[in-house]
Amino acid sequence: MNKDVKIEYLSKLSKLNGLNYLIAMILFGAAPTIKYIKPSNLITISTKFNMLELWLQKKELICDYLNLRYLSLREDTHSHTILFFNPKVLSNHLLQDENNFYLSQYGYNIEFKYQLEKLKANFNKKFPHEIGVFLGIPPMDVEGFTRNNGKNYLLNSYWKVYCNLKEALKLFDKFDQARIESIHYIDKSKDHFIK
């Protein structure tokens, strides 16, 4: 992620509290998914500033407001790791030939509900590398990461890129643009996200 974008976001976030803080955090983190550029985003919500308690109370309202769905992949007393997604976009993404083929090697079938259930089950056993495909990472990069133990990459940005650097850079620019737009939205709406 562009360093300046992150600094501007943190500056805006520092002026918020409560529900507005939580919405801004999810809005920024899931901006590429909200803009239909990325099939999903993974966000951890912790007990810091009572965010987890707020999430548990307002999650349906927040997701309706942001037009997202969620899947809690891991829950403990201090944090929840949550996959935010648009069901149609994520389902279509997982059905693409290269993604479907990759996931089938790990026992996934093509039924969307089953894919989510299996991902959650796998996530609670160990960190499943196939989550990269759910997050929009090309299978070749997921394989490159596992084969190289996270080393020997061409670029380390939103993910570690092993193939198609030029395409990844274009995509990362779109992610940054979505996040910049989310910062402007936060700035305009920070006092009245949800009444």
Side-chain angles (χ1 to χ4, degrees), residues 6-27:
K6 191 168 188 175
I7 290 169
E8 185 178 357
Y9 159 69
L10 292 173
S11 170
K12 302 291 182 196
L13 195 64
S14 70
K15 297 172 186 163
L16 302 175
N17 56 45
L19 186 58
N20 287 330
Y21 183 100
L22 179 59
I23 291 171
M25 186 182 83
I26 296 169
L27 176 65

Side-chain angles (χ1 to χ4, degrees), residues 24-35:
M25 186 182 83
I26 296 169
L27 176 65
F28 181 80
T33 299
I34 293 168
K35 290 288 190 177

